[in-house]
Amino acid sequence: MLNGFKKALVLSLVALLAACGGGDDNDPGTITEVAKSDTRLSILGEAVTAAELADTLSGPGPYTVFAPTNDAFAALLGELGVTKEQLLANKPLLTAVLKYHVLGAKVTQAQVPLGKAITPLEGGVFKIDLVDSALRITDGRNRSSRIVQTDIIASNGVIHLIDKVLLPADKTLVQTALGTPSLSILVEAVTAAGLVDTLNGAGPFTVFAPTNEAFAALLGELGVTKDQLLANKPLLTQVLTYHVAPGRVLKAEVPVNTPIKTVQGGTFTVTPALTITDQRGRSSRIVATDVFASNGVLHVIDKVILPAP
């Protein structure tokens, strides 16, 4: 009789603990709480407080936070030429930067979509690649950050530690090309064709960007000078818009061996080896991929492609 009473009492206590959430001792805490308890993330904790995001990151989520270490923030201060106090006082910048590190879903290491565009809360994109057995992030300014620890679990999401603060894109496609010396003739051509405003627009666009050497080869192929090419606005416009595809298409997302529709209206195809075949049967190699801009992405090519005559 006594044993039966004890058994009933134990079962009642177990039920009571379950009803009251007795497993909370194993609760790791919210993302905000986990970050504040980690000495490596003390500056991130200060930044989240200064930007008034602590309540957000304590909410139900789920969220994924790419959390810069203290060393990452120290490097950013040097890069921006500001003190920690100045950074924490600049709430608009701080908020934009911090939200760029947050995804509106729980994404563990095993779920990271390698090579594909990842869109954080702030908007814009970055990507993650596996490079030499390390996970590396390319941010909107084409800077690289390494994920140094993954899958720190919180009650409302997951944290991945990174060694460099990510920054969202601050240059359009034209501005990005303007800052790339090997694309200077492309910028001249875009200007001569009156396409600057279009390629500075919202987009997003994917631009297959011919190098200066590619344009030099085209001049020989067509038997014209650079000045003659730049003066022929109808031809220039047709050729340049043939290098632009609507949408943001990263290397990992290029539809291989499938016609890719361009803004000009024609199509071209790309092989798995990243060789383009244009509508005249000519070939061009993609020699650099995934150069981010605020309104799209650039892929650098070694030969100007041409639409059907």
Side-chain angles (χ1 to χ4, degrees):
M1 184 77 174
L2 185 59
N3 286 339
F5 175 78
K6 286 182 177 179
K7 185 177 180 180
L9 180 61
V10 169
L11 290 174
S12 297
L13 287 172
V14 169
L16 180 61
L17 287 171
C20 295
D24 285 350
D25 287 345
N26 295 321
D27 186 345
T30 65
I31 286 173
T32 298
E33 291 167 338
V34 172
K36 286 186 175 181
S37 68
D38 191 326
T39 56
R40 297 169 297 176
L41 302 177
S42 60
I43 299 179
L44 175 62
E46 292 182 69
V48 166
T49 300
E52 298 182 359
L53 293 175
D55 288 345
T56 298
L57 295 179
S58 293
Y63 301 111
T64 298
V65 174
F66 294 88
T69 63
N70 292 342
D71 288 342
F73 271 105
L76 179 68
L77 298 178
E79 186 178 344
L80 298 181
V82 298
T83 64
K84 185 177 80 169
E85 290 70 27
Q86 289 172 324
L87 177 64
L88 296 181
N90 190 339
K91 187 175 176 181
L93 171 64
L94 199 60
T95 302
V97 169
L98 291 177
K99 285 186 176 181
Y100 188 62
H101 290 73
V102 182
L103 309 183
K106 182 179 179 180
V107 181
T108 64
Q109 177 186 348
Q111 297 168 322
V112 169
L114 295 176
K116 297 185 178 181
I118 296 172
T119 304
L121 288 181
E122 177 60 18
V125 299
F126 58 79
K127 69 165 185 168
I128 301 175
D129 292 299
L130 186 63
V131 182
D132 298 329
S133 301
L135 289 170
R136 290 195 172 273
I137 302 174
T138 301
D139 70 13
R141 302 188 191 186
N142 300 294
R143 300 157 64 257
S144 179
S145 175
R146 190 166 60 92
I147 301 178
V148 295
Q149 185 175 344
T150 61
D151 295 348
I152 301 172
I153 301 300
S155 60
N156 61 341
V158 64
I159 298 172
H160 306 300
L161 263 59
I162 60 176
D163 68 356
K164 191 168 187 176
V165 176
L166 309 175
L167 295 175
D170 62 346
K171 291 182 173 62
T172 66
L173 287 162
V174 175
Q175 292 167 336
T176 300
L178 192 59
T180 308
S182 63
L183 300 179
S184 61
I185 298 179
L186 173 62
V187 174
E188 289 184 70
V190 167
T191 302
L195 294 173
V196 171
D197 287 346
T198 299
L199 292 179
N200 277 338
F205 303 109
T206 298
V207 175
F208 294 84
T211 62
N212 292 344
E213 289 78 7
F215 272 104
L218 179 69
L219 298 178
E221 185 178 344
L222 298 181
V224 297
T225 66
K226 186 177 81 169
D227 289 342
Q228 288 172 326
L229 177 63
L230 296 182
N232 189 340
K233 187 173 179 180
L235 172 63
L236 203 58
T237 301
Q238 186 179 37
V239 169
L240 291 176
T241 53
Y242 185 61
H243 289 74
V244 182
R248 181 187 284 106
V249 183
L250 272 57
K251 172 188 172 183
E253 300 163 321
V254 170
V256 298
N257 296 329
T258 301
I260 295 173
K261 187 76 175 286
T262 68
V263 170
Q264 181 266 345
T267 63
F268 59 79
T269 59
V270 181
T271 70
L274 298 183
T275 297
I276 298 173
T277 301
D278 67 17
Q279 287 186 302
R280 302 190 190 190
R282 300 159 65 259
S283 295
S284 176
R285 279 189 316 121
I286 301 176
V287 295
T289 60
D290 296 349
V291 180
F292 285 121
S294 60
N295 61 337
V297 65
L298 288 166
H299 304 300
V300 181
I301 61 176
D302 68 356
K303 189 170 185 176
V304 176
I305 54 178
L306 296 174

